Every structure is written in C-alpha cells, then in structure tokens.
Amino acid sequence: MVRRYRDQKGRIRDAMGKAFKLGRSGRAEEKNVGKMHATARAAGKDPETGKAGARAVGHAMWQKLTGRSPKAEESMTLKERAEKLVAKYGTATAAGKASGMSRHAIGRALKGKNLNAKNTEKLEAQERRDALKPRVTQRIKKSMTGIPQSSQSDSPQNTFGIYALVEVSSDKPEERWLYPGRMTGNAGALDDLEDLAAEGPEALQERIQEIMDEYVECEVLEIMDIQW
C-alpha cells in the first residue's frame, strides 16, 4: 500500500512528496477526508489523530470565558462586534474611545463596511475583552497556583485540573487527574489571560499547549472533565 499524507495546504502527496492526480473517486475521498478534519477541528481535536489534547482544553476554556465557541467567534462579523461595543458603551463615540478608534471607523463597521487592518484588530480585540466573564476570568487566573499537589488530597479544587483518559508509554490507557496548575513552572501562567483572549481562541490554545507541555508526560486520549 502506498503511504500518503497531507501537506500544509491539505494536498495529498505520496511518501516521496509527489502530488497525487485524483480521479473522481480520489476527489470524493479527499472531500470526505476534508469533512472529517473539519469535524475534528470543530470538536477541538487533532485533525490527523482525532484525539483530544491541549487544543480541546484551550477551546473549552475559551467557551467558559466568553460563553461562545471558537466556531461562533470565527463567524462574527465586524458589524456584529461594533454593535456589541455600542450597546455596551452607549454611543459610537464612546465605543471608539474604548477601543482606540475614531467614531467614523465605528460608524463604518456599523454599516457593514470594511476597516483597515489596524482598526479591524482594535475592534476585534476590544469586543473579545468585553465578552470575558470577570468572575470566571479571575478564577481561571488564580487556578495556576504553582503549588505542588498535596499528598493528602486528590482533589483539583482551586487548581487547574483535567480528568482524562491518558496513555503512558505502551501501558493500557487509564483515567486520572492531571494538575498542570500545580507545576511550579506554571505559576501565574495565565496572568495575562485578558490579553490572550483579546487575540482570540487560538492564542489561548497555544498558551494552554505550553502549560500542558510543562506538565503532561503522557498522551491525552479523551478529556472528561476540566476544573479551575
């Protein structure tokens, strides 16, 4: 059987890097694989392995913070974001001041018109910041305690903890709590949570990956519960 893989642009290639010329059945297969990958990404899983890892944790945290999924975040228009800002601050002038933009720029967004890259970034960042739930944000920030796990307790209370099905080396998969928040190297790892959220769910996911890498020495197969 010829081994195949997908390059960074999603094109199917063989082991030597040569691109496949797909017939009707091949195109149908490629389309089907693309759908499977999209479904996996929407579920917060790795498209290739279908397994839930740091990506799922980061996306779950984003939804906890904002009340909306990464998919819903991605589909938001500038007009919708501008409307939310005006609703919060009362006027286009106040909304513009809060986000570092002019009233004119806010007005363009409200009319569904495009903005330059700089103003687009400002509008998206401010709306994301305003979407954060303050109490949840503070609780998650404080969960990165950096305090080692107590030998007298298995509870993840007040600490970032993940209950998951994991695979250690070649051993049989097992369920266990992981405590990334109790690693000394992770102390205060989410102190800039508001800034990460302003950049979007993928920036938060990347930080979660760093946090998980600092702690987890096993492969996460399925995440069952997350507490912070």
Side-chain angles (χ1 to χ4, degrees), residues 53-63 70 201 204-206 208 226:
R55 184 180 183 83
V57 179
H59 286 182
M61 184 178 289
W62 170 267
Q63 189 150 348
L204 179 58
Q205 180 269 322
E206 288 178 10
I208 293 300
I226 306 173

Side-chain angles (χ1 to χ4, degrees), residues 1-226:
M1 180 179 178
V2 179
R3 295 184 62 83
R4 295 182 294 175
Y5 71 95
R6 283 179 174 270
D7 63 19
Q8 293 181 341
K9 294 185 178 180
R11 295 170 297 198
I12 298 178
R13 295 182 178 275
D14 62 20
M16 299 300 292
K18 182 179 179 180
F20 274 89
K21 292 184 178 180
L22 302 176
R24 179 179 298 177
S25 61
R27 287 193 295 272
E29 178 187 351
E30 184 176 40
K31 184 177 181 180
N32 185 51
V33 171
K35 287 182 178 179
M36 291 171 60
H37 282 204
T39 300
R41 285 192 293 269
K45 298 180 179 179
D46 184 282
E48 295 296 335
T49 66
K51 296 176 181 178
R55 184 180 183 83
V57 179
H59 286 182
M61 184 178 289
W62 170 267
Q63 189 150 348
K64 186 77 171 178
L65 284 164
T66 65
R68 65 189 184 220
S69 68
K71 185 176 180 179
E73 159 65 28
E74 185 178 353
S75 67
M76 283 192 71
T77 65
L78 292 179
K79 184 176 185 293
E80 290 172 331
R81 295 186 194 276
E83 289 172 343
K84 286 182 176 294
L85 289 182
V86 172
K88 176 179 177 64
Y89 295 102
T91 66
T93 300
K97 184 176 181 179
S99 55
M101 300 165 58
S102 68
R103 178 178 63 81
H104 175 69
I106 292 290
R108 283 184 58 84
L110 288 171
K111 294 176 182 178
K113 296 182 179 180
N114 291 330
L115 303 177
N116 61 40
K118 189 174 182 179
N119 279 334
T120 295
E121 183 178 342
K122 288 181 178 180
L123 178 59
E124 291 177 340
Q126 187 60 48
E127 191 281 323
R128 286 169 181 152
R129 285 179 185 276
D130 291 342
L132 296 177
K133 300 175 182 179
R135 293 180 64 179
V136 175
T137 301
Q138 290 306 311
R139 186 167 76 247
I140 290 178
K141 288 170 69 173
K142 291 179 180 179
S143 72
M144 303 304 298
T145 62
I147 301 174
Q149 178 180 344
S150 169
S151 60
Q152 300 177 349
S153 174
D154 240 4
S155 169
Q157 185 177 5
N158 300 324
T159 306
F160 178 35
I162 303 163
Y163 190 62
L165 179 67
V166 300
E167 185 175 63
V168 182
S169 299
S170 59
D171 297 340
K172 183 179 179 181
E174 59 182 80
E175 296 178 12
R176 64 167 64 172
W177 276 103
L178 309 175
Y179 302 98
R182 288 177 172 169
M183 288 294 294
T184 302
N186 282 333
L190 291 174
D191 283 354
D192 59 343
L193 186 55
E194 293 91 345
D195 292 335
L196 288 171
E199 293 182 45
E202 294 310 311
L204 179 58
Q205 180 269 322
E206 288 178 10
R207 179 63 59 80
I208 293 300
Q209 181 70 64
E210 294 174 4
I211 290 171
M212 296 283 283
D213 287 346
E214 182 74 19
Y215 173 85
V216 181
E217 296 182 355
C218 56
E219 184 173 11
V220 178
L221 303 178
E222 181 181 354
I223 295 171
M224 301 174 180
D225 191 16
I226 306 173

